[in-house]
Amino acid sequence: MIVMKFGGSSVANAERIKHVASIIKAYQEKRPVVVLSAMGDTTDHLLEAADKAVEGVVDVAGVAKLHEDTAEELGINIDTINALLTELKQLLTGISMLKEISKRSRDYLVSFGERMSVRMMAAYLESQGIAAQFYDAWDIGFVSDSNYMSAELLDDVWETIPSYLGAYKNGDVNSIPIVTGFIAKDKKGNITTLGRGGSDLTATMIGAAMRADEVQTWKDVDGILTTDPRVVKEAKPVPEVTYEEAQELAMFGSQVLHPRSMLPVRKTGTPVRVKNSYNISSPGSIIVEKHEGMIPPVCAITTVKNIQLIDITSSRMLGAAGFLAHIFNNFLKWNISIDVIATSEVSVSLTVNTKADLSGLISDLEQASQVTVKKNKAIVTIICDASHSSAILADGFSALAKEGINVQMISQGASKVNISVIVDDEQADKTVRILHKAYFC
């Protein structure tokens, strides 16, 4: 058994749905379970419809037209889609009467995108002579807590998912399961969404619970690349990365899998393969627990732009216990997340997302420290075997020095698979190009 996950762009229109169906057919003998996102920008359009409903206007025309036109082009019956559109209109009517939308109602609302998507795919596969059955995730045992908009799956799913899909894995049932990503139900039967990376989590949870041979996530590039090909056209596919390296890549800007989606497969050691839907023959990149054979010194380079660098200094804290505790407690108080950090006896430098409101935090920190905030910075992260950090840094810094790039901070992660440097935002792409040439050319 394998699990195949396709994002919204992969099923954005009839042409893309036909293409994905051809990929599913090519892997039919491997007994795939298919996880789909909503078509294209459907989720955004549903949220726009909710905003209109709050203002008293009930309008499902845009969402309806996309799915009706697509169904017509695919030549499939859309009775199940029409039923969902009727249900959606009833929900929006209720929102228009209340003039507000709760988190629970929002989750119910956005679920329609995935629910229509799987029905379209299953119907099209059936029309092509491929046995398929759509499932809303709760139909195969996805149960979560009630933290709407960012729900967490309950431990029950490790038993409920195999109880529903076991017959398919064993060959007693042959219809390919087409499953909604991103959604679940709580114990009360209310629809929930799994937050960022929710569709990836659906796929990896199924793969881990079913002890699948591998989980495949299909994108539009040949797997994980050494860096963003829009920045470096010579970017190369990376054949293999570890779970830890993949998590670090995702944390620092690379569109691989969301870090939380890696947790189930790490628990069971289930491989995850990143494949190119435009190049089926390419092996892609595989994510595993440990490298086989020689560990590459540098795996990839990624970047996060538009961040803020905060320097905190206090000579009064020299030799005093509690300096870091004081700083971190204030970040906790203001609910501001830290990306990378470097420390000395009397100073701390760290980065935060530029969207964060720092006014209250800075006011509290300045009671015991000197605080400087520098905007328009970027984190450039080298995913590497940090046990060879001296050689890696020597090569990288030598190349940067020749090009006049000034690194303003350096942080080596405790994970031992990343080294991050801070540069000016406007120098980020150039920094990536220089490092990529130093490490991969």
Side-chain angles (χ1 to χ4, degrees), residues 18 55 76 147 183-184 224 233 275 312 325 340 353 380 425:
K18 290 178 181 179
E55 297 172 356
I76 59 175
N147 185 24
I183 60 178
I224 298 169
K233 63 180 181 180
K275 295 274 288 177
I312 306 165
V340 296
N353 190 295
V380 177
D425 228 2

Side-chain angles (χ1 to χ4, degrees), residues 141-405:
F142 272 75
V143 59
S144 74
D145 60 23
S146 300
N147 185 24
Y148 301 110
M149 296 175 59
S150 188
E152 295 290 343
L153 296 174
L154 302 183
D155 288 341
D156 305 39
V157 298
W158 288 97
E159 296 181 2
T160 54
I161 293 172
S163 72
Y164 285 102
L165 292 180
Y168 173 70
K169 182 179 181 180
N170 296 335
D172 298 329
V173 174
N174 290 317
S175 294
I176 298 173
I178 312 297
V179 184
T180 55
F182 184 58
I183 60 178
K185 275 187 176 179
D186 64 14
K187 289 282 191 178
K188 297 178 181 178
N190 296 312
I191 294 174
T192 60
T193 59
L194 303 179
R196 292 186 61 193
S199 290
D200 288 338
L201 178 59
T202 302
T204 56
M205 188 66 247
I206 293 173
M210 296 305 300
R211 304 304 196 269
D213 294 326
E214 67 181 28
V215 176
Q216 298 176 349
T217 178
W218 290 79
K219 300 182 178 294
D220 58 359
V221 292
D222 284 336
I224 298 169
L225 301 181
T226 48
T227 195
D228 188 338
R230 294 169 298 183
V231 177
V232 180
K233 63 180 181 180
E234 297 86 7
K236 309 171 184 177
V238 180
E240 178 186 79
V241 299
T242 66
Y243 296 128
E244 192 171 27
E245 289 167 343
Q247 285 182 305
E248 293 290 334
L249 277 166
M251 287 296 293
F252 291 101
S254 180
Q255 300 297 316
V256 185
L257 279 84
H258 193 276
R260 68 196 287 255
S261 71
M262 301 300 294
L263 298 177
V265 289
R266 290 199 72 172
K267 185 174 181 179
T268 58
T270 304
V272 178
R273 190 177 296 274
V274 183
K275 295 274 288 177
N276 186 352
S277 60
Y278 294 97
N279 185 10
I280 301 177
S281 61
S282 170
S285 303
I286 193 164
I287 305 171
V288 292
E289 181 62 39
K290 293 182 179 179
H291 283 287
E292 293 185 8
M294 184 177 295
I295 301 173
V298 177
C299 172
I301 303 167
T302 187
T303 184
V304 179
K305 297 180 181 178
N306 202 21
I307 58 100
Q308 300 180 82
L309 173 63
I310 304 176
D311 293 324
I312 306 165
T313 305
S314 176
S315 57
R316 287 180 291 172
M317 300 302 293
L318 181 62
F323 181 33
L324 290 178
H326 167 72
I327 291 172
F328 292 144
N329 283 336
N330 277 296
F331 275 86
L332 176 63
K333 172 185 175 181
W334 293 100
N335 193 31
I336 295 174
S337 177
I338 298 169
D339 294 319
V340 296
I341 184 170
T343 67
S344 71
E345 184 68 21
V346 295
S347 68
V348 176
S349 295
L350 47 82
T351 66
V352 299
N353 190 295
T354 194
K355 295 179 181 178
D357 180 4
L358 301 181
S359 54
L361 170 69
I362 300 303
S363 178
D364 284 354
L365 290 174
E366 285 181 335
Q367 295 180 23
S369 313
Q370 293 178 331
V371 182
T372 303
V373 179
K374 302 172 184 176
K375 298 183 178 181
N376 301 317
K377 304 298 177 181
I379 306 170
V380 177
T381 299
I382 306 164
I383 306 300
C384 60
D385 178 8
S387 63
H388 299 291
S389 59
S390 295
I392 291 168
L393 287 172
D395 290 343
F397 274 59
S398 175
L400 292 174
K402 289 178 181 178
E403 298 293 335
I405 299 293

